[in-house]
Amino acid sequence: MSEPVFILAIESSCDETAAAVICNDEIRSNVIASQAIHQYFGGVVPELASRAHQQKIIPVVEEALSKAKVSKNELDAVAFTRGPGLMGSLLVGVSFAKAFALALDIPLIEVNHLQGHVLAHFIKDNRSERKQVPSFPFLCLTVSGGHTQFVLVEDFLKSKIIGETLDDAAGEAFDKAAKIMNLPYPGGPLIDKLAKTGNPKAFHFPVPNISDLNFSFSGLKTSFLYFIRDHVAQNPNFIEEHQADICASIQYAIVEILIRKLKKAAEYTGIKNIAISGGVSANSGLREAVSKAGKELNWNVFIAPLEYCTDNAAMIAIAGYYKFLHAEFADQSITPLARMN
Ligand code: KG4
Ligand code: ZN
């Protein structure tokens, strides 16, 4: 049997400073420091995010190594998120990973954040029961704060995008709706929570008709803005009095847009292995709707545990592991990329 491979992974693309240690495909630690500071501004402030990463990266990495009971000298490689994301945030993680790999004289592995979200389905851990992992090819709906795309995944390191949003991402639709309702950032998890006691049919929002396997959320955002504005003009307490119903109804509309297209994409590709990933895949309405559609249409549905849906370094570690097996290493000249597909 070959020696186990230990990889330290770093994720710093947005407002979570995260580090994880993996042994082959089994996660040993997964540490995330969220940045509460952005709540005061109703969204991520890039400059503040970079500074917070700089403060947190060393303690987060130390905690990840100590929780994993792995010493620096046992590491075989350092994986890091190269992009996409906020340039200042990425720079902290990339510079840290480069310096760490150089000091230990071990390989560097660059990971695309979105590929990390997709490969999160292959993370093994000793806490949850090992569920079935997707078999190739599978169709993955990646829904996050910055992206909404259909990925046709042919192998661990081979995939193509077959549809995406033409404007806002699904996570942005949640966050912007929350902002319009004066809820704090990030709004997605809060809308999910409040929606649980609301009626999803209380208010109706239009589902756009967009061609191919693409999405659009900007029309929904505008109609939601006008809806709130008009009702508040008549009743200043409208939001407070109907909060749960509004949340349930907007969540229903966002999930409906996603699920209709997912059914179309499954039919178009003929693929029945269906996965969802990214922060919005933590949404309980989407998780239920995908499971329900899976039962109706005989899909094999793959939904990751909550901790691997929103940004984390475990997903960067698993992607790093598969790249390690293929000896796909980066060199010290590597730089972050704010945009990557
Ligand atoms: O993947 P992620 O953590 O970061 C990016 O790569 O963007 O996704 C963050 C997005 C945010 O827009 C957040 O509001 C949304 O995922 N989100 C949710 C839920 N949890 C996170 N949206 C709806 N329901 C949730 N439970
Ligand atoms: Zn993400």
Side-chain angles (χ1 to χ4, degrees), residues 299-335:
W299 294 345
N300 305 310
V301 169
F302 302 94
I303 301 176
L306 283 176
E307 68 175 310
Y308 303 135
C309 291
T310 44
D311 285 352
N312 64 87
M315 68 186 201
I316 305 305
I318 189 81
Y321 171 64
Y322 288 111
K323 290 191 125 183
F324 185 95
L325 294 182
H326 288 82
E328 283 196 21
F329 301 128
D331 63 41
Q332 284 286 334
S333 64
I334 195 137
T335 52

PDB file of all heavy atoms in Angstrom, residues 299-335:
ATOM      1  N   TRP A 299     -33.854  10.222 -10.253  1.00  0.00           N
ATOM      2  CA  TRP A 299     -32.466  10.692 -10.239  1.00  0.00           C
ATOM      3  C   TRP A 299     -31.747  10.053  -9.046  1.00  0.00           C
ATOM      4  O   TRP A 299     -32.369   9.701  -8.049  1.00  0.00           O
ATOM      5  CB  TRP A 299     -32.391  12.210 -10.024  1.00  0.00           C
ATOM      6  CG  TRP A 299     -32.946  13.069 -11.088  1.00  0.00           C
ATOM      7  CD1 TRP A 299     -33.264  12.710 -12.378  1.00  0.00           C
ATOM      8  CD2 TRP A 299     -33.260  14.469 -10.964  1.00  0.00           C
ATOM      9  NE1 TRP A 299     -33.757  13.800 -13.048  1.00  0.00           N
ATOM     10  CE2 TRP A 299     -33.756  14.890 -12.208  1.00  0.00           C
ATOM     11  CE3 TRP A 299     -33.167  15.394  -9.935  1.00  0.00           C
ATOM     12  CZ2 TRP A 299     -34.162  16.211 -12.447  1.00  0.00           C
ATOM     13  CZ3 TRP A 299     -33.563  16.703 -10.162  1.00  0.00           C
ATOM     14  CH2 TRP A 299     -34.050  17.107 -11.413  1.00  0.00           C
ATOM     15  N   ASN A 300     -30.415   9.967  -9.156  1.00  0.00           N
ATOM     16  CA  ASN A 300     -29.591   9.706  -7.970  1.00  0.00           C
ATOM     17  C   ASN A 300     -29.144  11.085  -7.504  1.00  0.00           C
ATOM     18  O   ASN A 300     -28.382  11.745  -8.207  1.00  0.00           O
ATOM     19  CB  ASN A 300     -28.352   8.877  -8.318  1.00  0.00           C
ATOM     20  CG  ASN A 300     -28.735   7.598  -9.022  1.00  0.00           C
ATOM     21  OD1 ASN A 300     -29.608   6.879  -8.547  1.00  0.00           O
ATOM     22  ND2 ASN A 300     -28.117   7.342 -10.171  1.00  0.00           N
ATOM     23  N   VAL A 301     -29.659  11.510  -6.357  1.00  0.00           N
ATOM     24  CA  VAL A 301     -29.407  12.883  -5.909  1.00  0.00           C
ATOM     25  C   VAL A 301     -28.266  12.918  -4.882  1.00  0.00           C
ATOM     26  O   VAL A 301     -28.218  12.102  -3.968  1.00  0.00           O
ATOM     27  CB  VAL A 301     -30.710  13.470  -5.299  1.00  0.00           C
ATOM     28  CG1 VAL A 301     -30.439  14.770  -4.576  1.00  0.00           C
ATOM     29  CG2 VAL A 301     -31.739  13.682  -6.397  1.00  0.00           C
ATOM     30  N   PHE A 302     -27.364  13.894  -5.057  1.00  0.00           N
ATOM     31  CA  PHE A 302     -26.236  14.041  -4.137  1.00  0.00           C
ATOM     32  C   PHE A 302     -26.254  15.448  -3.539  1.00  0.00           C
ATOM     33  O   PHE A 302     -26.145  16.436  -4.263  1.00  0.00           O
ATOM     34  CB  PHE A 302     -24.914  13.778  -4.859  1.00  0.00           C
ATOM     35  CG  PHE A 302     -24.886  12.403  -5.469  1.00  0.00           C
ATOM     36  CD1 PHE A 302     -25.267  12.210  -6.792  1.00  0.00           C
ATOM     37  CD2 PHE A 302     -24.548  11.304  -4.703  1.00  0.00           C
ATOM     38  CE1 PHE A 302     -25.291  10.939  -7.347  1.00  0.00           C
ATOM     39  CE2 PHE A 302     -24.571  10.026  -5.244  1.00  0.00           C
ATOM     40  CZ  PHE A 302     -24.940   9.843  -6.569  1.00  0.00           C
ATOM     41  N   ILE A 303     -26.431  15.487  -2.228  1.00  0.00           N
ATOM     42  CA  ILE A 303     -26.471  16.770  -1.514  1.00  0.00           C
ATOM     43  C   ILE A 303     -25.427  16.678  -0.400  1.00  0.00           C
ATOM     44  O   ILE A 303     -25.479  15.768   0.432  1.00  0.00           O
ATOM     45  CB  ILE A 303     -27.880  17.033  -0.932  1.00  0.00           C
ATOM     46  CG1 ILE A 303     -28.930  17.056  -2.063  1.00  0.00           C
ATOM     47  CG2 ILE A 303     -27.916  18.325  -0.141  1.00  0.00           C
ATOM     48  CD1 ILE A 303     -30.370  17.219  -1.615  1.00  0.00           C
ATOM     49  N   ALA A 304     -24.484  17.607  -0.397  1.00  0.00           N
ATOM     50  CA  ALA A 304     -23.374  17.513   0.569  1.00  0.00           C
ATOM     51  C   ALA A 304     -23.837  17.902   1.976  1.00  0.00           C
ATOM     52  O   ALA A 304     -24.800  18.657   2.135  1.00  0.00           O
ATOM     53  CB  ALA A 304     -22.239  18.435   0.113  1.00  0.00           C
ATOM     54  N   PRO A 305     -23.144  17.398   3.023  1.00  0.00           N
ATOM     55  CA  PRO A 305     -23.435  17.876   4.380  1.00  0.00           C
ATOM     56  C   PRO A 305     -23.285  19.405   4.421  1.00  0.00           C
ATOM     57  O   PRO A 305     -22.458  19.968   3.693  1.00  0.00           O
ATOM     58  CB  PRO A 305     -22.351  17.214   5.242  1.00  0.00           C
ATOM     59  CG  PRO A 305     -21.851  16.061   4.435  1.00  0.00           C
ATOM     60  CD  PRO A 305     -22.042  16.428   2.996  1.00  0.00           C
ATOM     61  N   LEU A 306     -24.065  20.032   5.300  1.00  0.00           N
ATOM     62  CA  LEU A 306     -24.103  21.503   5.335  1.00  0.00           C
ATOM     63  C   LEU A 306     -22.725  22.153   5.428  1.00  0.00           C
ATOM     64  O   LEU A 306     -22.446  23.149   4.764  1.00  0.00           O
ATOM     65  CB  LEU A 306     -24.949  21.969   6.521  1.00  0.00           C
ATOM     66  CG  LEU A 306     -26.468  21.853   6.334  1.00  0.00           C
ATOM     67  CD1 LEU A 306     -27.179  22.244   7.616  1.00  0.00           C
ATOM     68  CD2 LEU A 306     -26.931  22.717   5.162  1.00  0.00           C
ATOM     69  N   GLU A 307     -21.825  21.568   6.246  1.00  0.00           N
ATOM     70  CA  GLU A 307     -20.530  22.230   6.460  1.00  0.00           C
ATOM     71  C   GLU A 307     -19.670  22.267   5.203  1.00  0.00           C
ATOM     72  O   GLU A 307     -18.718  23.037   5.120  1.00  0.00           O
ATOM     73  CB  GLU A 307     -19.754  21.594   7.620  1.00  0.00           C
ATOM     74  CG  GLU A 307     -19.275  20.199   7.362  1.00  0.00           C
ATOM     75  CD  GLU A 307     -18.399  19.664   8.492  1.00  0.00           C
ATOM     76  OE1 GLU A 307     -17.449  20.339   8.915  1.00  0.00           O
ATOM     77  OE2 GLU A 307     -18.691  18.536   8.939  1.00  0.00           O
ATOM     78  N   TYR A 308     -19.999  21.419   4.204  1.00  0.00           N
ATOM     79  CA  TYR A 308     -19.217  21.426   2.969  1.00  0.00           C
ATOM     80  C   TYR A 308     -19.931  22.171   1.830  1.00  0.00           C
ATOM     81  O   TYR A 308     -19.469  22.159   0.700  1.00  0.00           O
ATOM     82  CB  TYR A 308     -18.890  19.988   2.538  1.00  0.00           C
ATOM     83  CG  TYR A 308     -18.162  19.196   3.596  1.00  0.00           C
ATOM     84  CD1 TYR A 308     -18.534  17.894   3.907  1.00  0.00           C
ATOM     85  CD2 TYR A 308     -17.094  19.761   4.300  1.00  0.00           C
ATOM     86  CE1 TYR A 308     -17.866  17.166   4.881  1.00  0.00           C
ATOM     87  CE2 TYR A 308     -16.426  19.045   5.284  1.00  0.00           C
ATOM     88  CZ  TYR A 308     -16.826  17.753   5.571  1.00  0.00           C
ATOM     89  OH  TYR A 308     -16.164  17.040   6.541  1.00  0.00           O
ATOM     90  N   CYS A 309     -21.095  22.773   2.140  1.00  0.00           N
ATOM     91  CA  CYS A 309     -21.832  23.529   1.109  1.00  0.00           C
ATOM     92  C   CYS A 309     -21.303  24.963   1.038  1.00  0.00           C
ATOM     93  O   CYS A 309     -20.904  25.434  -0.014  1.00  0.00           O
ATOM     94  CB  CYS A 309     -23.321  23.564   1.432  1.00  0.00           C
ATOM     95  SG  CYS A 309     -24.129  21.981   1.275  1.00  0.00           S
ATOM     96  N   THR A 310     -21.327  25.645   2.174  1.00  0.00           N
ATOM     97  CA  THR A 310     -20.823  27.021   2.197  1.00  0.00           C
ATOM     98  C   THR A 310     -19.287  26.979   2.198  1.00  0.00           C
ATOM     99  O   THR A 310     -18.692  25.916   2.399  1.00  0.00           O
ATOM    100  CB  THR A 310     -21.352  27.762   3.445  1.00  0.00           C
ATOM    101  OG1 THR A 310     -21.234  26.895   4.552  1.00  0.00           O
ATOM    102  CG2 THR A 310     -22.807  28.152   3.284  1.00  0.00           C
ATOM    103  N   ASP A 311     -18.662  28.134   1.970  1.00  0.00           N
ATOM    104  CA  ASP A 311     -17.212  28.148   1.764  1.00  0.00           C
ATOM    105  C   ASP A 311     -16.445  27.474   2.904  1.00  0.00           C
ATOM    106  O   ASP A 311     -16.718  27.717   4.084  1.00  0.00           O
ATOM    107  CB  ASP A 311     -16.726  29.595   1.588  1.00  0.00           C
ATOM    108  CG  ASP A 311     -17.090  30.117   0.211  1.00  0.00           C
ATOM    109  OD1 ASP A 311     -17.575  29.315  -0.625  1.00  0.00           O
ATOM    110  OD2 ASP A 311     -16.882  31.319  -0.039  1.00  0.00           O
ATOM    111  N   ASN A 312     -15.492  26.649   2.522  1.00  0.00           N
ATOM    112  CA  ASN A 312     -14.685  25.901   3.489  1.00  0.00           C
ATOM    113  C   ASN A 312     -13.396  25.474   2.804  1.00  0.00           C
ATOM    114  O   ASN A 312     -13.295  25.544   1.570  1.00  0.00           O
ATOM    115  CB  ASN A 312     -15.479  24.675   3.968  1.00  0.00           C
ATOM    116  CG  ASN A 312     -15.746  23.689   2.838  1.00  0.00           C
ATOM    117  OD1 ASN A 312     -14.925  22.823   2.565  1.00  0.00           O
ATOM    118  ND2 ASN A 312     -16.869  23.837   2.124  1.00  0.00           N
ATOM    119  N   ALA A 313     -12.412  25.046   3.589  1.00  0.00           N
ATOM    120  CA  ALA A 313     -11.145  24.623   2.965  1.00  0.00           C
ATOM    121  C   ALA A 313     -11.109  23.118   2.722  1.00  0.00           C
ATOM    122  O   ALA A 313     -10.247  22.639   1.986  1.00  0.00           O
ATOM    123  CB  ALA A 313      -9.960  25.049   3.824  1.00  0.00           C
ATOM    124  N   ALA A 314     -12.060  22.363   3.313  1.00  0.00           N
ATOM    125  CA  ALA A 314     -12.085  20.911   3.078  1.00  0.00           C
ATOM    126  C   ALA A 314     -12.278  20.629   1.587  1.00  0.00           C
ATOM    127  O   ALA A 314     -11.681  19.714   1.028  1.00  0.00           O
ATOM    128  CB  ALA A 314     -13.197  20.272   3.900  1.00  0.00           C
ATOM    129  N   MET A 315     -13.112  21.449   0.952  1.00  0.00           N
ATOM    130  CA  MET A 315     -13.371  21.237  -0.486  1.00  0.00           C
ATOM    131  C   MET A 315     -12.123  21.560  -1.326  1.00  0.00           C
ATOM    132  O   MET A 315     -11.910  20.975  -2.380  1.00  0.00           O
ATOM    133  CB  MET A 315     -14.579  22.065  -0.944  1.00  0.00           C
ATOM    134  CG  MET A 315     -14.351  23.560  -0.931  1.00  0.00           C
ATOM    135  SD  MET A 315     -15.879  24.449  -1.313  1.00  0.00           S
ATOM    136  CE  MET A 315     -15.210  26.031  -1.840  1.00  0.00           C
ATOM    137  N   ILE A 316     -11.301  22.487  -0.829  1.00  0.00           N
ATOM    138  CA  ILE A 316     -10.055  22.814  -1.536  1.00  0.00           C
ATOM    139  C   ILE A 316      -9.066  21.661  -1.315  1.00  0.00           C
ATOM    140  O   ILE A 316      -8.301  21.287  -2.212  1.00  0.00           O
ATOM    141  CB  ILE A 316      -9.475  24.155  -1.008  1.00  0.00           C
ATOM    142  CG1 ILE A 316     -10.527  25.282  -1.123  1.00  0.00           C
ATOM    143  CG2 ILE A 316      -8.167  24.539  -1.726  1.00  0.00           C
ATOM    144  CD1 ILE A 316     -11.102  25.494  -2.520  1.00  0.00           C
ATOM    145  N   ALA A 317      -9.146  21.070  -0.121  1.00  0.00           N
ATOM    146  CA  ALA A 317      -8.253  19.950   0.204  1.00  0.00           C
ATOM    147  C   ALA A 317      -8.566  18.735  -0.675  1.00  0.00           C
ATOM    148  O   ALA A 317      -7.655  18.086  -1.189  1.00  0.00           O
ATOM    149  CB  ALA A 317      -8.395  19.599   1.683  1.00  0.00           C
ATOM    150  N   ILE A 318      -9.843  18.422  -0.859  1.00  0.00           N
ATOM    151  CA  ILE A 318     -10.176  17.227  -1.666  1.00  0.00           C
ATOM    152  C   ILE A 318      -9.777  17.455  -3.133  1.00  0.00           C
ATOM    153  O   ILE A 318      -9.232  16.566  -3.781  1.00  0.00           O
ATOM    154  CB  ILE A 318     -11.675  16.811  -1.506  1.00  0.00           C
ATOM    155  CG1 ILE A 318     -11.945  15.455  -2.166  1.00  0.00           C
ATOM    156  CG2 ILE A 318     -12.639  17.814  -2.075  1.00  0.00           C
ATOM    157  CD1 ILE A 318     -11.557  14.284  -1.332  1.00  0.00           C
ATOM    158  N   ALA A 319     -10.024  18.664  -3.624  1.00  0.00           N
ATOM    159  CA  ALA A 319      -9.614  18.965  -5.009  1.00  0.00           C
ATOM    160  C   ALA A 319      -8.093  18.883  -5.102  1.00  0.00           C
ATOM    161  O   ALA A 319      -7.540  18.342  -6.075  1.00  0.00           O
ATOM    162  CB  ALA A 319     -10.107  20.347  -5.418  1.00  0.00           C
ATOM    163  N   GLY A 320      -7.410  19.377  -4.062  1.00  0.00           N
ATOM    164  CA  GLY A 320      -5.946  19.324  -4.021  1.00  0.00           C
ATOM    165  C   GLY A 320      -5.449  17.890  -4.041  1.00  0.00           C
ATOM    166  O   GLY A 320      -4.459  17.566  -4.709  1.00  0.00           O
ATOM    167  N   TYR A 321      -6.155  17.018  -3.341  1.00  0.00           N
ATOM    168  CA  TYR A 321      -5.745  15.609  -3.292  1.00  0.00           C
ATOM    169  C   TYR A 321      -5.780  14.986  -4.698  1.00  0.00           C
ATOM    170  O   TYR A 321      -4.834  14.317  -5.112  1.00  0.00           O
ATOM    171  CB  TYR A 321      -6.646  14.845  -2.316  1.00  0.00           C
ATOM    172  CG  TYR A 321      -6.441  13.355  -2.364  1.00  0.00           C
ATOM    173  CD1 TYR A 321      -5.216  12.782  -1.988  1.00  0.00           C
ATOM    174  CD2 TYR A 321      -7.458  12.501  -2.806  1.00  0.00           C
ATOM    175  CE1 TYR A 321      -5.016  11.408  -2.051  1.00  0.00           C
ATOM    176  CE2 TYR A 321      -7.259  11.131  -2.869  1.00  0.00           C
ATOM    177  CZ  TYR A 321      -6.047  10.596  -2.499  1.00  0.00           C
ATOM    178  OH  TYR A 321      -5.842   9.232  -2.569  1.00  0.00           O
ATOM    179  N   TYR A 322      -6.879  15.232  -5.423  1.00  0.00           N
ATOM    180  CA  TYR A 322      -6.955  14.631  -6.773  1.00  0.00           C
ATOM    181  C   TYR A 322      -5.917  15.243  -7.709  1.00  0.00           C
ATOM    182  O   TYR A 322      -5.371  14.555  -8.571  1.00  0.00           O
ATOM    183  CB  TYR A 322      -8.382  14.719  -7.336  1.00  0.00           C
ATOM    184  CG  TYR A 322      -9.289  13.761  -6.601  1.00  0.00           C
ATOM    185  CD1 TYR A 322     -10.291  14.213  -5.748  1.00  0.00           C
ATOM    186  CD2 TYR A 322      -9.087  12.392  -6.707  1.00  0.00           C
ATOM    187  CE1 TYR A 322     -11.079  13.323  -5.031  1.00  0.00           C
ATOM    188  CE2 TYR A 322      -9.867  11.490  -5.988  1.00  0.00           C
ATOM    189  CZ  TYR A 322     -10.856  11.967  -5.162  1.00  0.00           C
ATOM    190  OH  TYR A 322     -11.623  11.079  -4.448  1.00  0.00           O
ATOM    191  N   LYS A 323      -5.612  16.514  -7.518  1.00  0.00           N
ATOM    192  CA  LYS A 323      -4.558  17.121  -8.339  1.00  0.00           C
ATOM    193  C   LYS A 323      -3.188  16.548  -7.957  1.00  0.00           C
ATOM    194  O   LYS A 323      -2.332  16.346  -8.812  1.00  0.00           O
ATOM    195  CB  LYS A 323      -4.579  18.647  -8.197  1.00  0.00           C
ATOM    196  CG  LYS A 323      -5.794  19.276  -8.868  1.00  0.00           C
ATOM    197  CD  LYS A 323      -5.660  20.769  -8.961  1.00  0.00           C
ATOM    198  CE  LYS A 323      -5.825  21.213 -10.392  1.00  0.00           C
ATOM    199  NZ  LYS A 323      -5.633  22.642 -10.582  1.00  0.00           N
ATOM    200  N   PHE A 324      -3.006  16.280  -6.666  1.00  0.00           N
ATOM    201  CA  PHE A 324      -1.743  15.683  -6.198  1.00  0.00           C
ATOM    202  C   PHE A 324      -1.538  14.327  -6.886  1.00  0.00           C
ATOM    203  O   PHE A 324      -0.439  14.013  -7.365  1.00  0.00           O
ATOM    204  CB  PHE A 324      -1.787  15.506  -4.670  1.00  0.00           C
ATOM    205  CG  PHE A 324      -0.501  15.005  -4.077  1.00  0.00           C
ATOM    206  CD1 PHE A 324       0.438  15.893  -3.548  1.00  0.00           C
ATOM    207  CD2 PHE A 324      -0.209  13.642  -4.039  1.00  0.00           C
ATOM    208  CE1 PHE A 324       1.634  15.433  -3.005  1.00  0.00           C
ATOM    209  CE2 PHE A 324       0.991  13.181  -3.506  1.00  0.00           C
ATOM    210  CZ  PHE A 324       1.914  14.079  -2.984  1.00  0.00           C
ATOM    211  N   LEU A 325      -2.614  13.534  -6.956  1.00  0.00           N
ATOM    212  CA  LEU A 325      -2.494  12.205  -7.570  1.00  0.00           C
ATOM    213  C   LEU A 325      -2.076  12.297  -9.035  1.00  0.00           C
ATOM    214  O   LEU A 325      -1.460  11.400  -9.572  1.00  0.00           O
ATOM    215  CB  LEU A 325      -3.831  11.440  -7.476  1.00  0.00           C
ATOM    216  CG  LEU A 325      -4.297  11.064  -6.063  1.00  0.00           C
ATOM    217  CD1 LEU A 325      -5.595  10.276  -6.125  1.00  0.00           C
ATOM    218  CD2 LEU A 325      -3.222  10.259  -5.326  1.00  0.00           C
ATOM    219  N   HIS A 326      -2.452  13.422  -9.670  1.00  0.00           N
ATOM    220  CA  HIS A 326      -2.072  13.626 -11.076  1.00  0.00           C
ATOM    221  C   HIS A 326      -0.819  14.495 -11.208  1.00  0.00           C
ATOM    222  O   HIS A 326      -0.503  14.963 -12.296  1.00  0.00           O
ATOM    223  CB  HIS A 326      -3.222  14.288 -11.850  1.00  0.00           C
ATOM    224  CG  HIS A 326      -4.357  13.351 -12.082  1.00  0.00           C
ATOM    225  ND1 HIS A 326      -5.315  13.099 -11.131  1.00  0.00           N
ATOM    226  CD2 HIS A 326      -4.675  12.579 -13.148  1.00  0.00           C
ATOM    227  CE1 HIS A 326      -6.179  12.225 -11.602  1.00  0.00           C
ATOM    228  NE2 HIS A 326      -5.816  11.889 -12.819  1.00  0.00           N
ATOM    229  N   ALA A 327      -0.157  14.738 -10.085  1.00  0.00           N
ATOM    230  CA  ALA A 327       1.058  15.582 -10.049  1.00  0.00           C
ATOM    231  C   ALA A 327       0.835  16.924 -10.743  1.00  0.00           C
ATOM    232  O   ALA A 327       1.694  17.432 -11.456  1.00  0.00           O
ATOM    233  CB  ALA A 327       2.246  14.845 -10.674  1.00  0.00           C
ATOM    234  N   GLU A 328      -0.343  17.500 -10.523  1.00  0.00           N
ATOM    235  CA  GLU A 328      -0.628  18.831 -11.099  1.00  0.00           C
ATOM    236  C   GLU A 328      -0.202  19.890 -10.092  1.00  0.00           C
ATOM    237  O   GLU A 328      -0.994  20.298  -9.236  1.00  0.00           O
ATOM    238  CB  GLU A 328      -2.121  18.960 -11.415  1.00  0.00           C
ATOM    239  CG  GLU A 328      -2.496  18.225 -12.678  1.00  0.00           C
ATOM    240  CD  GLU A 328      -3.851  18.644 -13.215  1.00  0.00           C
ATOM    241  OE1 GLU A 328      -4.342  19.747 -12.880  1.00  0.00           O
ATOM    242  OE2 GLU A 328      -4.432  17.850 -13.966  1.00  0.00           O
ATOM    243  N   PHE A 329       1.029  20.318 -10.184  1.00  0.00           N
ATOM    244  CA  PHE A 329       1.558  21.267  -9.212  1.00  0.00           C
ATOM    245  C   PHE A 329       1.740  22.659  -9.819  1.00  0.00           C
ATOM    246  O   PHE A 329       1.925  22.797 -11.028  1.00  0.00           O
ATOM    247  CB  PHE A 329       2.898  20.759  -8.666  1.00  0.00           C
ATOM    248  CG  PHE A 329       2.777  19.405  -7.993  1.00  0.00           C
ATOM    249  CD1 PHE A 329       3.614  18.359  -8.345  1.00  0.00           C
ATOM    250  CD2 PHE A 329       1.811  19.184  -7.018  1.00  0.00           C
ATOM    251  CE1 PHE A 329       3.494  17.109  -7.730  1.00  0.00           C
ATOM    252  CE2 PHE A 329       1.674  17.943  -6.399  1.00  0.00           C
ATOM    253  CZ  PHE A 329       2.524  16.901  -6.763  1.00  0.00           C
ATOM    254  N   ALA A 330       1.696  23.651  -8.935  1.00  0.00           N
ATOM    255  CA  ALA A 330       1.927  25.040  -9.380  1.00  0.00           C
ATOM    256  C   ALA A 330       3.348  25.416  -8.980  1.00  0.00           C
ATOM    257  O   ALA A 330       3.956  24.751  -8.143  1.00  0.00           O
ATOM    258  CB  ALA A 330       0.935  25.957  -8.684  1.00  0.00           C
ATOM    259  N   ASP A 331       3.876  26.491  -9.574  1.00  0.00           N
ATOM    260  CA  ASP A 331       5.195  26.915  -9.111  1.00  0.00           C
ATOM    261  C   ASP A 331       5.101  28.271  -8.415  1.00  0.00           C
ATOM    262  O   ASP A 331       4.027  28.867  -8.337  1.00  0.00           O
ATOM    263  CB  ASP A 331       6.241  26.880 -10.235  1.00  0.00           C
ATOM    264  CG  ASP A 331       5.910  27.842 -11.341  1.00  0.00           C
ATOM    265  OD1 ASP A 331       5.471  28.972 -11.017  1.00  0.00           O
ATOM    266  OD2 ASP A 331       6.077  27.485 -12.523  1.00  0.00           O
ATOM    267  N   GLN A 332       6.231  28.755  -7.938  1.00  0.00           N
ATOM    268  CA  GLN A 332       6.238  29.968  -7.109  1.00  0.00           C
ATOM    269  C   GLN A 332       5.861  31.233  -7.877  1.00  0.00           C
ATOM    270  O   GLN A 332       5.648  32.273  -7.278  1.00  0.00           O
ATOM    271  CB  GLN A 332       7.614  30.129  -6.446  1.00  0.00           C
ATOM    272  CG  GLN A 332       7.833  29.188  -5.262  1.00  0.00           C
ATOM    273  CD  GLN A 332       7.053  29.598  -4.018  1.00  0.00           C
ATOM    274  OE1 GLN A 332       6.741  30.768  -3.832  1.00  0.00           O
ATOM    275  NE2 GLN A 332       6.712  28.643  -3.167  1.00  0.00           N
ATOM    276  N   SER A 333       5.747  31.142  -9.194  1.00  0.00           N
ATOM    277  CA  SER A 333       5.385  32.352  -9.948  1.00  0.00           C
ATOM    278  C   SER A 333       3.859  32.542 -10.007  1.00  0.00           C
ATOM    279  O   SER A 333       3.371  33.516 -10.574  1.00  0.00           O
ATOM    280  CB  SER A 333       5.950  32.272 -11.369  1.00  0.00           C
ATOM    281  OG  SER A 333       5.331  31.197 -12.034  1.00  0.00           O
ATOM    282  N   ILE A 334       3.118  31.624  -9.411  1.00  0.00           N
ATOM    283  CA  ILE A 334       1.645  31.680  -9.535  1.00  0.00           C
ATOM    284  C   ILE A 334       1.055  32.911  -8.839  1.00  0.00           C
ATOM    285  O   ILE A 334       1.545  33.349  -7.794  1.00  0.00           O
ATOM    286  CB  ILE A 334       1.017  30.379  -8.993  1.00  0.00           C
ATOM    287  CG1 ILE A 334      -0.430  30.277  -9.449  1.00  0.00           C
ATOM    288  CG2 ILE A 334       1.089  30.274  -7.475  1.00  0.00           C
ATOM    289  CD1 ILE A 334      -0.827  28.943  -9.908  1.00  0.00           C
ATOM    290  N   THR A 335       0.005  33.470  -9.457  1.00  0.00           N
ATOM    291  CA  THR A 335      -0.683  34.636  -8.877  1.00  0.00           C
ATOM    292  C   THR A 335      -2.188  34.353  -8.822  1.00  0.00           C
ATOM    293  O   THR A 335      -2.685  33.539  -9.593  1.00  0.00           O
ATOM    294  CB  THR A 335      -0.453  35.886  -9.759  1.00  0.00           C
ATOM    295  OG1 THR A 335      -0.798  35.542 -11.097  1.00  0.00           O
ATOM    296  CG2 THR A 335       0.977  36.378  -9.698  1.00  0.00           C
TER     297      THR A 335
END
